[in-house]
Amino acid sequence: PDPSICRVGEYFYMANSSFEYFPGIPIHRSKDLVNWEWVGYGLHRPEQVGGAVNLVDVKSQDGIQAPSLRHHNGTFYIITTCVYRPPDDDEGTCTNFIITATDINGPWSDPHVIDGAPGIDPDIFFDDDGKVWYVGTHPPHEKPNFAGEGEIWCQELDLSAWCLTGERHYLWRGACYGGVFVEGPHVYKHEGQYYLLVAE
């Protein structure tokens, strides 16, 4: 589920959610978007998933959700969420992190956890001016219109330190009054215009 696709050269590459399973984040490639072959996993070493990104004792349906796969200047990036609830508790955490590789087959880096990034389903957007943006979800920062309302936000991301920087911008709360869980944001730029794609 939750496929994310980018094109590099003659291939389309796709990453998917893997939830509680390890190895995690399966990656496939295709030349025609019809026939796919498996090429590897983003999370393929036990040491990647035994710390802040925890798949050791994760509950069913928690774990890795909605990865976003991107390629920029020779490097592949996967940004995603690890949802973790302790075995005896229904309250948990959402850890958003990035892994990188110069080869889609790996090896992939250890997770770079992005502190101060709430919510689920993050995206990473590389703008033409060299800036990199983190796009995420959270409950509205002020005055929600109804219970369960969500909000899409973005903030500049410093890849040299793997941290958010500058002002946080609040983009969208969804199209449907009473609709909950606006999520899965992706930002695109085409002919000078920015587009925000979300699920609701």
Side-chain angles (χ1 to χ4, degrees):
D2 305 323
S4 175
I5 295 177
C6 72
R7 185 175 186 178
V8 182
E10 62 180 344
Y11 282 105
F12 296 92
Y13 295 100
M14 177 172 63
N16 291 91
S17 295
S18 51
F19 300 99
E20 70 270 27
Y21 295 100
F22 178 83
I25 314 181
I27 302 168
H28 294 77
R29 72 178 184 178
S30 172
K31 290 184 177 180
D32 58 11
L33 297 176
V34 176
N35 301 289
W36 293 88
E37 62 178 341
W38 171 78
V39 297
Y41 292 97
L43 297 173
H44 53 87
R45 301 188 311 276
E47 57 268 28
Q48 289 174 295
V49 297
V53 176
N54 185 350
L55 294 181
V56 175
D57 58 353
V58 66
K59 289 182 177 180
S60 178
Q61 298 184 7
D62 286 353
I64 304 301
Q65 302 187 13
S68 183
L69 174 63
R70 297 290 179 259
H71 183 266
H72 182 71
N73 286 347
T75 299
F76 288 94
Y77 296 80
I78 295 177
I79 183 170
T80 189
T81 305
C82 182
V83 178
Y84 178 78
R85 293 176 296 163
D88 57 351
D89 195 346
D90 282 336
E91 295 297 322
T93 59
C94 294
T95 300
N96 292 302
F97 67 94
I98 297 172
I99 54 176
T100 65
T102 55
D103 185 335
I104 194 70
N105 301 285
W108 288 80
S109 71
D110 288 339
H112 302 285
V113 173
I114 309 301
D115 291 329
I120 59 173
D121 302 353
D123 188 28
I124 186 171
F125 173 69
F126 297 90
D127 208 346
D128 300 334
D129 61 3
K131 290 185 177 180
V132 182
W133 295 90
Y134 181 108
V135 186
T137 67
H138 65 183
H141 68 290
E142 62 180 21
K143 297 180 180 178
N145 295 301
F146 52 85
E149 185 178 29
E151 184 171 57
I152 306 300
W153 59 275
C154 75
Q155 191 169 347
E156 191 174 352
L157 182 63
D158 180 354
L159 291 182
S160 67
W162 303 105
C163 68
L164 298 170
T165 184
E167 181 182 357
R168 183 165 297 181
H169 306 275
Y170 305 102
L171 305 182
W172 181 246
R173 292 191 183 187
C176 302
Y177 185 84
V180 296
F181 305 130
V182 58
E183 60 187 17
H186 296 288
V187 171
Y188 302 95
K189 190 175 185 179
H190 179 65
E191 295 182 350
Q193 187 76 26
Y194 295 92
Y195 296 87
L196 173 64
L197 175 68
V198 302
E200 187 174 356

